[in-house]
Amino acid sequence: MDHSYQAWQEVLAEEFFGRQHAGHPTLFYVDDDVEQELRHGYGIDQPLVPCVGKFLRLGTAEPYSALEDFRWRKRQQDKNGVPAFLPLLACSVMAACRMVNDQNHRATAYHARFSELLTGDEKRLGSQHYEPISRMWQVLASWQFSQRGARGLCTIPAPADLPSNRSMIGFAQSQALLSGADRSFMPKFFRSLREHGTTWPLSGETLLAQIEIRGMEQHFSKGFRNALQEEFRSFLAKLIGNYAASWDGSDELVPTGVTRAELLVRLDAGRLSWVARLRSAEQKERIELKGGVVLEQLGDSAYYEVTGLPAPSADTLGRGIRRDGDDLVLSRPSSSVLVLARDDVLGVWASTDGFRPGEAHVVLAAPTAQRNVQRVLDKAATTGRNADTSRLAWVPQGWSMHKPVIFDDAVTLRRALQEVQGAVSLLQPPAQFKLRLEGGLKLAPSLDPHLYLRGGEPQVVLPDAMAGTLLVDGKERPELRKAIAAGRPVPLAVLRLEPGRHAVSYAEVEIGFATADRAVVEPKMTKVCGFTVVDGKASESSSLLVEQILPTGITGADCMGATAQSTAAVMELCRRDADEVLFAAADGRLWTLQAPQQPDWWMQRLPDTPAPLRFEADFHGIGGWLLERRSGRWKGRPVNPGTPKPRTAGNPRAWARAVLNAQQASTERSWAEYVQAAKELER
């Protein structure tokens, strides 16, 4: 890739997915005017379209393979970076912006527009070539969700939200529905509705109806007006509804360069309080805002304790709150519904953006929303359908409470939410774009991030609206069918998998993981031990390496526990292929010797390698017999054996049993003394 393509990737990443969009809905909107503004504003020499077009491999089955290869190379350098195919996706949005009726094309002729844009020929790139681009959109959406809002809140639709005949091109078209002018006008439109005392937020369908009733279509772009009349209306309703739900009452939806800290409600120890979540890479310990509001960071998390605000109540929840600071706005939009779920970081109940199938919720509803909340619960909730009539002091005055509310069937929940109006209709479960694992009890993540405790296997989250069969280790498991049909995360723990490597696959995507009963975590060494090198030769013995000679030393072993010995050490060679190696000391102590692993660094960096069949055992100031069992037979060798006195130390009975089991190991007189001492212990 040349410099211009990389420059476009960096510009698009910063402009549309930069950290200035933290906490705000973001649209990847690029038309001809936006492309010119970016090119001139950032000083890029080559226009976007020819920059992308020259890397297409036309006439092949995979015309975008060079761009995909570039993306994978960049991913190896930065796994958390923005996926490096933004220039191609920007061109796909530009093609969507050009979809109008003219002498040659209908307004729905997307592929002709896209091919003409990139190749100059409307037939060189057809629908059969477009599937890789639709996958790129889903990868981008998954990446944005993984950033937890730090790079903007995702507006790319889930596959289930797209019309069936737009399943591939719908991702690009969704980003072309709202122009920059449309988004700038939205706060004025929202404010005009709020001034008439309308309960907020309204559902997206209600907002679109208000635009038509009030004759406000002329204030929006042609693409927006076309979507009002076409099959994208349902997605447009969801999109504008989400903008309304995140609108905090300010004059701009996304103040450029201003980070939005979200104000959440926390339920702890029988009271409601505020906590802030800051979606930003820069986490300050203390933030002061206007009006005496102070944010104090909770540990090293993205959450902050909030002081200086009136407590959550029917008034503060219904009106919304906003406080300004330097390059930061703390806000919570008004809402008539409050949903609380257990927060893994806070460890208590906290407000959430949507229902989570299979988990418990506390649902609080203002009088204006109680009817819609009850309709959803009656149709989809497994528990919590009846309102809790307990008079709890922390429940906002006049609001109803349902707990614990659990939705076991995600499919039924989605349908129920589509049939209601108001704030509750916006509580859709989070969209899923790809197969992934979540939860589970991880063992030693520093050794293997995909190693789980046996019995604590993770759950499998399936992508939305993708056809396939879930296979575990290549087999379909009947135990999982109920969870799959209900649209919930699929628990693998019920399968009682054996320890070892496993794989789950769905829709031609496979994820591997491992299970084990335990994991050994090696301690981190604070000192470096190795071999010094003089004139190209390594020293015969190891020593601690000081900082000055560390770069030239040979490292890979540790001798931190070594102590000076007054008695010369005796070294013996033990067979690696022995079934069991024991050392019976003269004083009654018994050791089992384990063959150490041969270190990789030894073979790579030392000219001589140890004998593959033997390992060394050093004995400092202690005598006894070294015993090896192979093929059921014992053989023994003396190591300064001395006179056996097994009653003085160790575990004499274990020592005696080991010696008697190996009494045929040697015919030497010294060994006969050990056997006799063992027999006396056994009497």
Side-chain angles (χ1 to χ4, degrees), residues 56-347:
L56 298 180
R57 293 174 177 171
L58 300 175
T60 67
E62 299 179 351
Y64 316 112
S65 57
L67 304 178
E68 292 185 280
D69 292 343
F70 175 73
R71 179 255 170 154
W72 283 110
R73 290 196 301 272
K74 297 294 289 185
R75 188 177 185 275
Q76 291 175 351
Q77 300 171 10
D78 183 7
K79 291 186 177 180
N80 292 320
V82 188
F85 39 54
L86 294 186
L88 177 60
L89 297 189
C91 290
S92 71
V93 178
M94 291 179 67
C97 293
R98 297 184 178 186
M99 291 173 62
V100 294
N101 278 316
D102 58 22
Q103 296 179 351
N104 299 320
H105 308 290
R106 294 176 299 167
T108 56
Y110 175 82
H111 293 292
R113 299 291 190 184
F114 182 66
S115 179
E116 187 177 50
L117 176 71
L118 285 179
T119 70
D121 186 338
E122 62 183 44
K123 296 182 179 180
R124 297 201 68 181
L125 294 175
S127 58
Q128 72 275 16
H129 299 121
Y130 199 79
E131 186 174 351
I133 297 180
S134 67
R135 291 199 302 267
M136 293 178 191
W137 278 109
Q138 295 180 66
V139 169
L140 178 61
S142 295
W143 169 83
Q144 201 172 6
F145 273 108
S146 71
Q147 301 300 305
R148 301 182 183 276
R151 298 297 192 95
L153 302 179
C154 183
T155 60
I156 299 171
D161 296 329
L162 296 174
S164 58
N165 63 335
R166 306 288 181 92
S167 59
M168 290 194 297
I169 65 176
F171 299 108
Q173 288 180 283
S174 72
Q175 302 301 288
L177 297 181
L178 295 175
S179 67
D182 293 334
R183 282 169 281 154
S184 298
F185 179 73
M186 274 188 192
K188 300 176 184 178
F189 170 56
F190 295 157
R191 194 183 304 279
S192 68
L193 296 179
R194 286 282 298 276
E195 288 176 351
H196 291 84
T198 305
T199 302
W200 199 261
L202 295 173
S203 68
E205 192 58 51
T206 301
L207 292 170
L208 295 184
Q210 286 294 325
I211 291 175
E212 293 171 325
I213 292 172
R214 295 167 178 247
M216 302 180 73
E217 297 97 323
Q218 69 274 12
H219 296 289
F220 290 90
S221 66
K222 189 171 184 179
F224 182 95
R225 296 197 299 271
N226 290 337
L228 277 175
Q229 312 300 327
E230 296 180 356
E231 50 209 346
F232 264 93
R233 181 185 177 100
S234 61
F235 175 69
L236 181 62
K238 180 175 292 188
L239 184 62
I240 196 172
N242 289 337
Y243 270 107
S246 63
W247 179 59
D248 58 11
S250 60
D251 293 333
E252 295 180 73
L253 281 174
V254 183
T256 303
V258 177
T259 301
R260 177 179 169 231
E262 298 170 275
L263 198 56
L264 308 178
V265 179
R266 174 179 55 189
L267 172 59
D268 186 21
R271 72 184 187 95
L272 296 180
S273 59
W274 297 114
V275 63
R277 179 171 58 194
L278 185 59
R279 303 179 189 268
S280 174
E282 299 179 2
Q283 305 290 346
K284 299 179 181 179
E285 294 184 1
R286 179 184 172 88
I287 302 174
E288 296 184 4
L289 306 177
K290 295 178 181 178
V293 177
V294 178
L295 309 183
E296 296 280 355
Q297 189 176 19
L298 296 172
D300 60 352
S301 70
Y303 291 90
Y304 288 76
E305 190 75 38
V306 180
T307 57
L309 287 179
S313 64
D315 183 51
T316 53
L317 293 173
R319 289 189 297 106
I321 293 179
R322 176 187 169 98
R323 296 293 186 273
D324 297 302
D326 294 335
D327 297 329
L328 184 139
V329 170
L330 174 68
S331 66
R332 174 179 175 80
S334 62
S335 179
S336 55
V337 178
L338 179 65
V339 176
L340 305 171
R342 298 292 297 186
D343 188 282
D344 294 336
V345 177
L346 297 175

Side-chain angles (χ1 to χ4, degrees), residues 410-666:
V411 177
T412 303
L413 172 60
R414 291 181 186 274
R415 291 172 181 168
L417 291 174
Q418 292 172 357
E419 297 175 5
V420 297
Q421 297 289 315
V424 68
S425 67
L426 303 172
L427 297 171
Q428 292 277 353
Q432 307 298 335
F433 290 90
K434 64 178 182 179
L435 184 72
R436 63 183 177 87
L437 302 177
E438 71 172 13
L441 299 176
K442 291 188 175 183
L443 277 175
S446 60
L447 297 179
D448 185 348
H450 304 296
L451 177 63
Y452 296 87
L453 178 67
R454 185 188 181 193
E457 291 85 357
Q459 296 177 317
V460 181
V461 179
L462 302 181
D464 294 338
M466 287 185 66
T469 301
L470 179 64
L471 302 178
V472 181
D473 295 334
K475 300 179 181 179
E476 186 177 2
R477 305 298 292 264
E479 307 98 307
L480 307 179
R481 289 175 183 170
K482 185 176 180 181
I484 295 173
R488 300 196 309 270
V490 181
L492 296 177
V494 300
L495 300 179
R496 301 182 182 275
L497 299 172
E498 292 295 323
R501 303 298 307 180
H502 301 280
V504 293
S505 60
Y506 184 82
E508 300 182 356
V509 178
E510 183 175 282
I511 299 178
F513 67 98
T515 59
D517 291 319
R518 63 176 182 169
V520 178
V521 181
E522 296 292 337
K524 293 184 178 180
M525 302 302 176
T526 57
K527 298 180 181 179
V528 178
C529 186
F531 298 86
T532 57
V533 178
V534 179
D535 296 331
K537 296 182 178 181
S539 61
E540 296 182 356
S541 60
S542 61
S543 61
L544 291 177
L545 303 182
V546 298
E547 185 176 355
Q548 291 79 5
I549 63 174
L550 182 59
T552 59
I554 300 175
T555 62
D558 181 84
C559 299
M560 291 177 59
T563 57
Q565 301 291 332
S566 58
T567 305
V570 177
M571 189 270 288
E572 291 288 334
L573 293 178
C574 307
R575 292 187 68 94
R576 288 180 176 268
D577 60 348
D579 299 323
E580 191 174 6
V581 181
L582 301 177
F583 182 73
D587 59 5
R589 288 180 288 176
L590 182 71
W591 285 277
T592 298
L593 279 63
Q594 300 288 345
Q597 294 292 327
Q598 183 172 303
D600 295 337
W601 65 268
W602 194 304
M603 298 183 64
Q604 294 171 354
R605 305 191 64 185
L606 291 177
D608 298 321
T609 59
L613 294 180
R614 300 185 183 275
F615 66 92
E616 298 176 0
D618 292 334
F619 302 92
H620 297 269
I622 190 172
W625 273 78
L626 185 65
L627 307 171
E628 294 179 338
R629 179 172 61 86
R630 295 177 61 221
S631 302
R633 299 184 58 185
W634 287 94
K635 290 188 177 181
R637 301 195 305 276
V639 181
N640 296 330
T643 302
K645 298 179 180 180
R647 299 183 185 273
T648 60
N651 185 342
R653 291 192 178 277
W655 182 92
R657 288 194 299 270
V659 171
L660 291 176
N661 288 337
Q663 57 183 306
Q664 305 299 327
S666 176

